[in-house]
Amino acid sequence: MIKLLPLLAFIAVIAAVLSDDMRDLYRKTQAQYGLPVVSSSQEDSKQHFAEFCEFVRGVEKHNNEDPDGFVAEVNMFALMSRTERYDKWTGLNASDIIEQQRKSLSVVREPVQIDYDFEKRQLQAAVDYTSKLPGIKQQGGCGSCWAFGAVAALEYQVNKESKTVKSLSEQQYLDCVYEGTRDGCKGGWPSKCYDWTKKNGNMIALNGDYPYVASDGTCRGSAQGIKTGIQGYTVTGTKYLAQGDDAMKAAVSDASIGVISVAFGVIDSFFSYKSGVYSGGSGCTSINHAMDVVGYGTDSGKDYWKVRNSWGPGWGLGGYIMIKRGGNTCSISKYGHYPLVTGSDGDGGDGGDDGDDGEDDKKTCKWVTKEDQKMKQRIQGDILKKADAQKACEGLKECNAVTCKNNNNCWLNKIPKGKTDTRFTSYVLKCKTKAT
């Protein structure tokens, strides 16, 4: 026993040094993030310190045992309890998807409608739409990820062809979508935001007019002097993708669709992400968080989705994360969807150029996709393939649109505006004439 005393004393000294180092890291982390922002616990709380140590050891264990995986770090979540992280920093209410599926079951099960067969066409190797989105936002200690997941996809739709980048209001959705039923900080589902906008005069405010405060308040709309921030555009509904990474890659590759709102299964390791390609882990198939796929690519031979989070620019890769692409990592490609939006920043009309074509004028035209819409006043003629129908339409002055049941069943229309109908996808010919 006497011989063991020096060894035990040595172990005690090492433990004390390690404890002092952990306390020092604890204080530095508190100073970096500020306790009032991330936790109400005091430094002398043994439980709070114990949970901090557990987080730190998890980071060290991952970085030591999985050097080829993603890089973990000690961040603001180390200062929170595990319950606080999940209750206040996620917020996807999975029970809402049952209602959404019941309302649009046929849409959920159909493949995404796009302009090509992704199994036969070589898609782009990488895409990134972050330039069409405002800076990374911060949901704070409120389970409002669902509002952020909805807004980013909608922001892309109204910014993709605009010279300016609009930032829309998550706070208005937080206040209004579940008003009278529950606190929006207790969770929600992104596509219900598009339903609310559609039912409320195409309302979604600009962030500057309706700023985020990270708590559920009284809903304010046009009656309170709030103006919509998407003048010229109309939100007509939601489109769900077919399940699986192939369908999502095809949709993201198509710039007319671009950003996809996704459901994701966050587990403990996700909170500590710093860089690299995150591959999930055991138990991450149960969805609890909403984010947005904004692109994809390959990093050091690993295929990834580029995903926008709502935890501020200090988390991950400036607020983004690369998530393993392939195999439906953490259910990322199970519930992908995006808002159906028509219109433009201009006059919002869908008509073609009604003026005469002068010999000195140069006319430029482009086709604009209108999901789930059937155009008016069919021009009598044969049923054509989509490409042939578009070519024929471009040669007829009276033709301004093409309606398709599928890519092999299309016809020409005079009026580029019609009723929403999930059986059809239409294409509007938009032309501009510039004097030369």
Side-chain angles (χ1 to χ4, degrees):
M1 177 64 69
I2 296 176
K3 292 182 179 180
L4 288 176
L5 291 178
L7 177 59
L8 293 174
F10 177 75
I11 292 174
V13 170
I14 295 299
V17 171
L18 292 175
S19 178
D20 288 344
D21 287 344
M22 190 69 80
R23 288 261 175 205
D24 186 50
L25 178 60
Y26 183 49
R27 296 187 185 96
K28 288 180 179 178
T29 307
Q30 286 178 314
Q32 180 180 356
Y33 293 103
L35 274 176
V37 176
V38 299
S39 175
S40 60
S41 301
Q42 299 299 314
E43 179 183 332
D44 59 357
S45 167
K46 292 182 179 180
Q47 180 62 32
H48 189 246
F49 179 65
E51 290 186 329
F52 174 84
C53 294
E54 182 181 4
F55 189 98
V56 173
R57 293 188 185 104
V59 168
E60 293 174 343
K61 184 175 187 294
H62 169 80
N63 288 340
N64 289 334
E65 295 181 1
D66 189 18
D68 296 326
F70 75 94
V71 177
E73 69 173 346
V74 177
N75 55 27
M76 64 180 181
F77 291 110
L79 295 172
M80 302 179 199
S81 68
R82 190 171 185 272
T83 299
E84 185 178 0
R85 290 172 213 144
Y86 284 98
D87 286 356
K88 295 185 177 181
W89 291 85
T90 56
L92 190 70
N93 193 321
S95 64
D96 283 349
I97 188 59
I98 298 174
E99 177 186 357
Q100 293 297 300
Q101 285 179 316
R102 185 166 57 246
K103 288 182 177 179
S104 55
L105 188 59
S106 63
V107 176
V108 174
R109 289 182 175 176
E110 289 176 356
V112 58
Q113 294 180 11
I114 48 181
D115 289 345
Y116 47 79
D117 184 340
F118 65 82
E119 292 180 347
K120 296 179 180 179
R121 174 175 169 171
Q122 184 68 37
L123 303 182
Q124 299 180 72
V127 294
D128 188 340
Y129 300 114
T130 54
S131 65
K132 293 299 182 179
L133 298 171
I136 286 290
K137 300 178 184 180
Q138 167 71 280
Q139 73 181 75
C142 167
S144 57
C145 65
W146 56 274
F148 288 83
V151 164
L154 181 55
E155 285 170 336
Y156 174 76
Q157 288 297 321
V158 301
N159 291 333
K160 63 186 179 183
E161 296 181 359
S162 176
K163 294 181 180 178
T164 60
V165 175
K166 295 181 179 68
S167 178
L168 302 178
S169 175
E170 290 84 6
Q171 187 65 43
Q172 188 173 43
Y173 283 151
L174 178 62
D175 291 346
C176 300
V177 171
Y178 292 98
E179 187 179 41
T181 60
R182 71 164 181 261
D183 184 338
C185 284
K186 299 298 184 182
W189 190 264
S191 65
K192 292 181 76 71
C193 297
Y194 310 139
D195 295 341
W196 183 88
T197 291
K198 181 180 178 180
K199 294 175 182 177
N200 289 273
N202 206 48
M203 168 61 71
I204 177 61
L206 293 173
N207 220 0
D209 295 334
Y210 205 136
Y212 187 71
V213 296
S215 63
D216 193 346
T218 302
C219 178
R220 293 180 291 138
S222 56
Q224 291 75 36
I226 301 296
K227 297 180 180 180
T228 185
I230 56 172
Q231 294 89 346
Y233 295 94
T234 300
V235 178
T236 63
T238 303
K239 189 73 173 180
Y240 279 83
L241 309 183
Q243 295 184 12
D245 287 40
D246 286 342
M248 186 142 74
K249 182 180 179 182
V252 177
S253 180
D254 185 343
S256 69
I257 298 174
V259 175
I260 304 297
S261 179
V262 297
F264 191 80
V266 166
I267 56 175
D268 290 350
S269 62
F270 188 86
F271 291 101
S272 64
Y273 173 84
K274 179 182 180 181
S275 61
V277 177
Y278 181 81
S279 57
S282 176
C284 78
T285 56
S286 298
I287 56 172
N288 56 11
H289 191 47
M291 299 188 291
D292 296 270
V293 171
V294 302
Y296 61 81
T298 303
D299 180 70
S300 300
K302 298 177 181 178
D303 293 337
Y304 68 85
W305 299 113
K306 183 172 183 179
V307 180
R308 178 185 174 97
N309 202 358
S310 52
W311 292 348
W315 178 86
L317 296 167
Y320 290 88
I321 179 173
M322 294 187 292
I323 293 175
K324 178 185 175 183
R325 175 162 52 92
N328 187 25
T329 302
C330 301
S331 298
I332 194 170
S333 59
K334 188 173 183 179
Y335 297 109
H337 60 279
Y338 63 98
L340 298 174
V341 180
T342 61
S344 68
D345 267 331
D347 59 10
D350 293 326
D353 192 327
D354 294 329
D356 294 329
D357 294 335
E359 291 182 358
D360 296 328
D361 292 341
K362 183 177 181 181
K363 187 176 180 180
T364 59
C365 300
K366 66 177 180 178
W367 288 98
V368 178
T369 303
K370 301 294 180 182
E371 298 276 2
D372 296 346
Q373 194 168 14
K374 182 181 180 181
M375 300 302 170
K376 294 182 179 180
Q377 292 192 17
R378 177 174 174 176
I379 298 172
Q380 295 301 313
D382 296 333
I383 295 296
L384 302 170
K385 292 183 178 181
K386 191 190 78 172
D388 294 335
Q390 289 179 329
K391 185 176 180 180
C393 185
E394 291 170 357
L396 290 175
K397 187 175 181 180
E398 62 180 333
C399 182
N400 289 304
V402 169
T403 300
C404 298
K405 283 188 176 180
N406 55 57
N407 285 345
N408 295 315
N409 190 346
C410 302
W411 56 91
L412 315 185
N413 297 97
K414 292 182 180 180
I415 305 299
K417 196 171 184 180
K419 294 182 178 180
T420 299
D421 192 327
T422 57
R423 295 174 297 172
F424 304 97
T425 298
S426 295
Y427 307 89
V428 175
L429 185 63
K430 301 192 75 171
C431 299
K432 294 181 180 180
T433 303
K434 181 179 180 181
T436 56

